[in-house]
Amino acid sequence: MMLKDKKKNKIPLGFIIIIIYLIYTILSLISAIFSKTAIFFGYILSESFATFYYLINMLIYILIIYAIAKRKIWGWILAMVFFSLELLEGIISFLNMENILYFFSTLSSSMSEEVIPEVAPIMAWIILIMGTIISASILIYFYKKKNYFGR
C-alpha cells in the first residue's frame, strides 16, 4: 500500500524536465528585466511594459511549477492556455521579423557594430524556432499527461 502511494505521488520525468526548464526561464527573465525591452507578439514593448510582461511571465511559470508539483487542475488549464499563447506568439513573431531583428540588434552594446547585423538574424531565427518548438512540445506533453492532473 505504501509503495503504491509513493508511485502515485511521483512526478513524471517529463514534468521534472519542464520544471527545470521553467526555473531556467525564470532566472533568464530576471536578467531580462534589466534589458528594458521585450517582444510581445512580434512588437517591441517599452521599459515599463517589458518589466510588467516579464514579471507576469515569471508569476505564470511559478504557478505552473506549483501546479505540477501539487497536481492542480487549474495549473493544467493555465499551462494549456499559456503555452498555446506562447506558440501563437512564436508564429506571429515569424511574420513580424523586421521588429524582431531590430530588437536583437539592440540587445548587446558589447558587440561591435560590424558583428551585430550579421549575428542578429541568426540569433533571432534560432531563438524563435527553438522557442516555438519548446512551446509546442510542452503543450503536447501537458495534453497527453492531462490524467496526471486528475482530468
Side-chain angles (χ1 to χ4, degrees):
M1 183 73 173
M2 184 73 136
L3 183 59
K4 192 174 187 178
D5 288 340
K6 278 188 176 183
K7 189 172 185 178
K8 184 181 178 192
N9 291 331
K10 187 176 179 189
I11 299 174
L13 178 61
F15 281 128
I16 292 171
I17 292 169
I18 291 171
I19 288 171
I20 292 168
Y21 168 75
L22 293 177
I23 291 170
Y24 169 77
T25 304
I26 290 167
L27 295 174
S28 297
L29 289 175
I30 290 170
S31 67
I33 287 174
F34 300 107
S35 73
K36 301 184 189 317
T37 56
I39 298 174
F40 182 67
F41 285 94
Y43 293 96
I44 299 172
L45 300 178
S46 64
E47 184 176 340
S48 57
F49 291 115
T51 301
F52 179 73
Y53 173 74
Y54 288 136
L55 291 173
I56 292 296
N57 276 295
M58 285 189 284
L59 176 64
I60 291 171
Y61 289 141
I62 290 167
L63 290 172
I64 291 172
I65 291 169
Y66 175 81
I68 291 171
K70 299 294 184 179
R71 296 176 179 234
K72 301 291 184 182
I73 190 67
W74 56 261
W76 181 84
I77 295 166
L78 177 65
M80 293 299 290
V81 170
F82 182 76
F83 287 108
S84 294
L85 289 173
E86 287 282 305
L87 183 60
L88 183 62
E89 182 180 9
I91 293 167
I92 290 173
S93 292
F94 279 117
L95 301 175
N96 200 353
M97 195 52 129
E98 186 176 306
N99 280 348
I100 307 299
L101 293 175
Y102 173 77
F103 173 78
F104 278 96
S105 70
T106 62
L107 277 182
S108 177
S109 60
S110 64
M111 298 173 74
S112 70
E113 289 189 16
E114 300 84 40
V115 175
I116 291 173
E118 295 172 15
V119 174
I122 296 167
M123 284 175 41
W125 281 105
I126 290 172
I127 291 172
L128 280 174
I129 290 169
M130 292 305 297
T132 304
I133 290 170
I134 290 170
S135 293
S137 300
I138 291 173
L139 189 62
I140 291 167
Y141 187 80
F142 264 88
Y143 182 76
K144 287 184 176 184
K145 293 292 188 174
K146 62 184 168 191
N147 291 336
Y148 172 80
F149 297 92
R151 282 214 97 176

